[in-house]
Amino acid sequence: MSQWIEACGVDDVEDEDLIRFDHEGRTFAIYRSPDALFYATDGLCTHEQVHLADGLVMDHIIECPKHNGRFDYRTGEAKGAPVCVNLKTYPVKVEDGRVLVDIACARR
Amino acid sequence: MNGMVIIGAGECGVRAAFTLREAGYQGAVTLIGEEPHLPYERPPLSKNTASAPKPIAEEEHYAEAGIELRRGLRIAGIEPATRQVVVDGGEKLSYDKLLIATGARARVFAGLECAQTLRTLEDAQTILTVLKSSRRIAVIGGGFIGLELAATARALGTQVTVLEAADRLMARIVPIEIAAVFEKRHRAEGVRFIFCAQVLQAGPDGVVLTDGRHIDADIVIAGVGALPETRLAEEAGLAVNNGIVVDNRFATQNPHIFAAGDCCNFPFRGQRVRLESWRASQDQGAHAAHAMLGAQNAFSTTPWFWSDQYDLGLQIAGLPDLARPFIHRDLGDGAFVLFQTDERGCLFSASGVGSGNAVARHISIAEKLIERAQPVPPDLLDNPDVNLKKLLKG
């Protein structure tokens, strides 16, 4: 069952960047890719529970701000040590300039 | 049976073992650790009060990758002529290529023999047990480990005195402007500092200084640096000079023996260095693994260090030259980054401090700029309105 939650406006995230989005005790990361598409993943790195929102986005890769763990935020795929567990990703849609995330539909 | 043998199951050795497999190596890979535990991450030992260690990789991953992990095994020696490693007890293991990744051990100066040091899980558990029951502790050494332990002890309500031989904290690599932020914070948390301290003796009830002062403490912890574990290399006739001497791909002068991580001394940007760094150990282990398989490219990864004390996060990319000027970039909320450029205008170091991971993006960008070695206009570095990421696009 879907649970679409409004995370932010499309202008709240810069191109090739991300923001943190907290909802009912959970934390997510919302990304805007260089080609202006939106993606969502869990907000914490799978290595040591660090908020990814402080990390650097280059193209489609988010780099953990702490230990250099890298993920492809489109698929959640861990790109090598020290991270070996993929990030969960969530479906995203844009409606009327708002970014919506289906937080009930995690994929790993 | 021949194959790859790795001595040392820390970050470097473990990374090397997995990298051999990722690179497609099909032969035997044997990873030998002296400690009885599943290889674990050391950085949390000085920062956390959790007693369970964090494994570098889960046990089943070694088996899945076909890595034979042998724990609790001490190596008696290396026999380069027959390409064998001799295990305590006499067993011999043959190798095609050998990686020495034995790391470093805590340095102990004369007079500090009674002090507790921190290197292993057992050390950390001993310290944690004592911290929980101590009223006051003395920490010798105002470096990363000593200060992280001081912050951990304060979180448990223990009184802390830090004794530092220099006139400032973290004098080896951290710019003074950043060290001052940490000193101020530690003082605000109630840590007492004695600078220019000359320790005569550490004992069960405290520390005696050469000027006669006595600092009472229930336990004395020394964090005064580390020494490379080079015994096996020395006995095997390999060159050792502040670490096992290797070339820019971590090969020793013996074509079948490599050394990487904290135990090695390697050429980097025109100087010879030995790093004690979690990240560098991994990067070097990975590079050495490829070199063992024949790769010829030189190691050029930017060194990266960090420290967490209270909620303050320090990150450093590159090797700061404390004798040269810094370019200050203010990030707001007390966070700032100090850049250094060389005579050609190329970035070679960036050091930052701030709450949590406030400086992480800047340090991450700096790492990449350092690696590219292209000139960066200084007026972009100190201007907080300029997004440095654009420089990576150029």
Side-chain angles (χ1 to χ4, degrees), chain B residues 85-144:
Chain B
V85 166
V86 184
V87 180
D88 252 10
E91 184 192 354
K92 291 190 175 183
L93 302 170
S94 296
Y95 59 82
D96 291 325
K97 298 278 188 288
L98 172 69
L99 176 64
I100 305 175
T102 42
R105 64 181 185 277
R107 184 199 300 263
V108 179
F109 291 121
L112 298 187
E113 294 84 356
C114 287
Q116 174 70 45
T117 55
L118 173 57
R119 192 76 199 171
T120 64
L121 182 60
E122 286 76 13
D123 294 337
Q125 285 166 343
T126 300
I127 288 171
L128 191 57
T129 304
V130 177
L131 282 185
K132 284 177 173 166
S133 61
S134 298
R135 213 162 48 81
R136 57 197 172 188
I137 65 164
V139 174
I140 300 174
F144 285 3

Side-chain angles (χ1 to χ4, degrees), chain B residues 285-308:
Chain B
H287 197 98
H290 287 290
M292 291 162 81
L293 297 174
Q296 297 297 316
N297 57 312
F299 182 76
S300 63
T301 307
T302 305
W304 180 86
F305 309 88
W306 95 98
S307 180
D308 296 324

